[in-house]
Amino acid sequence: MPLQMKLAAITLDCPDPPALAEFYQQATGLEPHPNSDADFAGLNREDGLFIGFQRVDDYRAPLWPGQSVPQQLHLCFYVADLDEAEALLLELGAGKPDHQPHEAARARVLTDPAGHPFCICRG
């Protein structure tokens, strides 16, 4: 019988955990973890999934799509309206790389304020 595992947490390295947690909190509506601090901040989802953000000294942002500083992690989020979601995320501090590997009507690659690439997908 295969091992049964349930994803409990995802943690991203970054230079400023509270700021990155705030970006994702505003983007997702997830609740901030009450024990968040300057070195480790987190968000809680109702089903128990935890997204953490940990401070890393001398953090180097991924250079996507290049591999000189690999992405190491890639998150995908479903959204109802790609144009609306992209505009809001850009207002919140996301970036949009020139390289877009998907058809724009299906998905878009953005980067969070710490440089991690993530996709928004029509869903």
Side-chain angles (χ1 to χ4, degrees), residues 15-68:
D16 186 346
L20 196 56
E22 182 177 341
F23 169 81
Y24 279 104
Q25 192 274 325
Q26 290 179 8
T28 64
L30 296 177
E31 292 295 319
H33 190 278
N35 295 330
S36 293
D37 60 32
D39 291 320
F40 191 90
L43 300 172
N44 295 316
R45 196 168 74 179
E46 287 180 9
D47 67 358
L49 181 65
F50 177 83
I51 302 176
F53 309 94
Q54 65 186 3
R55 180 178 305 283
V56 171
D57 293 332
D58 301 321
Y59 173 78
R60 293 182 352 160
L63 297 175
W64 188 87
Q67 294 299 305
S68 60

Side-chain angles (χ1 to χ4, degrees), residues 5-110:
M5 297 189 336
K6 180 180 176 184
L7 182 63
I10 299 167
T11 300
L12 298 142
D13 291 348
C14 63
D16 186 346
L20 196 56
E22 182 177 341
F23 169 81
Y24 279 104
Q25 192 274 325
Q26 290 179 8
T28 64
L30 296 177
E31 292 295 319
H33 190 278
N35 295 330
S36 293
D37 60 32
D39 291 320
F40 191 90
L43 300 172
N44 295 316
R45 196 168 74 179
E46 287 180 9
D47 67 358
L49 181 65
F50 177 83
I51 302 176
F53 309 94
Q54 65 186 3
R55 180 178 305 283
V56 171
D57 293 332
D58 301 321
Y59 173 78
R60 293 182 352 160
L63 297 175
W64 188 87
Q67 294 299 305
S68 60
V69 180
Q71 66 181 331
Q72 300 178 12
L73 175 76
H74 186 102
L75 302 172
C76 294
F77 298 92
Y78 286 125
V79 298
D81 183 307
L82 281 169
D83 292 331
E84 183 180 316
E86 179 182 319
L88 174 62
L89 290 161
L90 292 173
E91 284 180 29
L92 292 174
K96 185 175 180 183
D98 290 335
H99 178 69
Q100 294 291 315
H102 306 291
E103 180 183 318
R106 186 172 66 94
R108 298 178 193 161
V109 177
L110 301 176

